[in-house]
Amino acid sequence: MNATAGFGTLLEEELAALEAAGLRRACRACDGPTGPRTRLGGRDVLVLASNDYCDLARDPRVVRAAADAAARWGAGSGGSRLITGSQPPHAALERHLAAFKGTGDAVVFGSGYMANLGTVAALCGKGDAILSDALNHASIIDGCRLSRAAVTVYRHGDMDDLARALAAVRGARRVLVVSDAVFSMDGDLLDLPRFLALCRAHGAVSMIDEAHATGVLGATGRGLCEHFGCGRPDVLMGTLSKALGSAGGYVAGSRALCDFLRNKARSFVFSTSLPAPAMAAADAALAALEAEPERAAAARGNAAFLVAELAARGVAAATQSAIVPIPVGDEAAAVRASERLLAEGVWVPAIRYPTVARGAARLRASVMSSHTREDLAFAAGAIARALRG
Ligand SMILES: *Cc1c(COP(=O)(O)O)cnc(C)c1O
């Protein structure tokens, strides 16, 4: 056996182990645009799996902006912004994001993942301390690891535990406290007023990840600060790839913060900037959201309606956002329920370890502004049947 064959065997064995544990995953073929309905695995399905909460990915204004930008600026940007230059669509989007979030500036990254990775690792290093919620997104966790700072993980959503952890920090140069705004697998919210008060009291830098908050929370979809009507954290991170219907990530904050990240965040410095069509699409999506803020409330209202329809069928679920997790527990049972739903033409993915803890598998429905009440009532019935097996 040569070395390459040995390597292949090793990978096959690891995949077989995943399979045996009910944890092997695959990308299903999706033969249609994202939206409340599409074709998945060769069948027409009602989709409760997209983060395109406000239906902006296929919005004609957004699509047109992307097409026009491709024609004018090209399909690729040619290099990183520090080397090749910053095209007008990038600067325009950053100004627009800063205005939308009410900050001095904003900086765009290749993805939300890259924004978290680069920002956390740029803000903290050896000798610093990071306090991170137990259910934070993987990109925050990876940024913490990359930073080589001392990381304390506090209990999910537990501000008393965060207070204890802050009081226990000794001799750190800088302290960063970081949390999802909407927790991506549970749909619950950070208690931002208490979070900010604790950070202020301890002189810590505050950072929130608004991947599932922007376009969903607050009267006009501006996110968690608008939802609570409170002040802003030092660092507001978000993504362009969910409610903003495009691709990319961003950080909004002071001009000093954004300039610092343009100099120090390695995922910004050492990566080709996103193509202009993605920038122009996100810019147009922001404008659409500003013109039609009711989209955010529609997505939230649909999620609340789905929760009520599930409850009426004896299925317990809760949400404070557009994400509706339906607890199952066992990994294989969650996958079976998801397969049964797909057979009924409803796509609700099963979420398992390592995305959530072992034994905490669930169905995770995400709801869009364009789902109809009939869609959601039908989905609730199908979910209840799938869980009864
Ligand atoms: C999706 C997500 C990200 C990553 O954003 P991408 O643009 O998809 O890379 C980061 N944080 C949270 C909480 C997310 O849900």
Side-chain angles (χ1 to χ4, degrees), residues 111-113 116 137 139 180 184 209 211-212 237 239 241-242 248:
S111 68
Y113 186 98
N116 272 334
H137 190 262
S139 53
D180 281 12
S184 53
D209 173 340
H212 298 278
M237 173 273 168
T239 177
S241 49
K242 287 170 180 157

Side-chain angles (χ1 to χ4, degrees), residues 8-21 23-25:
T9 308
L10 214 65
L11 299 185
E12 289 300 340
E13 280 169 12
E14 288 201 27
L15 285 169
L18 282 177
E19 180 90 50
L23 295 175
R24 183 159 178 176
R25 310 209 260 186

Side-chain angles (χ1 to χ4, degrees), residues 1 16 19 27 39 82 91 104 125 160-161 195 226 246 287 312 330 342 346-347 360 370:
M1 188 164 55
E19 180 90 50
C27 305
R39 273 187 79 74
L82 293 169
D160 294 330
D161 198 36
F195 180 86
E226 187 183 28
S246 176
D330 180 65
L342 191 57
V346 181
W347 177 230
S370 62

Side-chain angles (χ1 to χ4, degrees), residues 51 53 116 133 135-137 140 156 179-192 207-218 222-225 227-228 237 239 242 300 318-325 364-366:
N51 302 315
Y53 300 117
N116 272 334
D133 187 285
L135 293 188
N136 274 346
H137 190 262
I140 296 176
H156 170 57
S179 175
D180 281 12
V182 172
F183 288 87
S184 53
M185 295 303 137
D186 292 70
D188 56 333
L189 308 186
L190 167 69
D191 178 353
L192 185 61
M207 171 170 174
I208 64 171
D209 173 340
E210 298 216 274
H212 298 278
T214 300
V216 175
L217 294 184
R222 279 171 166 73
L224 197 63
C225 303
H227 172 86
F228 282 111
M237 173 273 168
T239 177
K242 287 170 180 157
R300 292 196 310 269
T319 187
Q320 296 174 280
S321 60
I323 298 164
V324 181
R364 176 182 181 276
S366 48

Side-chain angles (χ1 to χ4, degrees), residues 112-149:
Y113 186 98
M114 289 169 67
N116 272 334
L117 201 71
T119 300
V120 173
L123 290 177
C124 293
K126 253 200 161 104
D128 296 330
I130 304 177
L131 282 63
S132 175
D133 187 285
L135 293 188
N136 274 346
H137 190 262
S139 53
I140 296 176
I141 296 170
D142 294 354
C144 290
R145 289 177 180 156
L146 196 61
S147 76
R148 306 198 304 162

Side-chain angles (χ1 to χ4, degrees), residues 159-205:
M159 293 297 109
D160 294 330
D161 198 36
L162 172 58
R164 276 192 292 276
L166 275 164
V169 172
R170 291 281 173 274
R173 229 174 17 161
R174 176 183 290 154
V175 182
L176 172 72
V177 187
V178 58
S179 175
D180 281 12
V182 172
F183 288 87
S184 53
M185 295 303 137
D186 292 70
D188 56 333
L189 308 186
L190 167 69
D191 178 353
L192 185 61
R194 271 205 78 195
F195 180 86
L196 290 177
L198 284 170
C199 291
R200 216 172 294 123
H202 290 269
V205 177

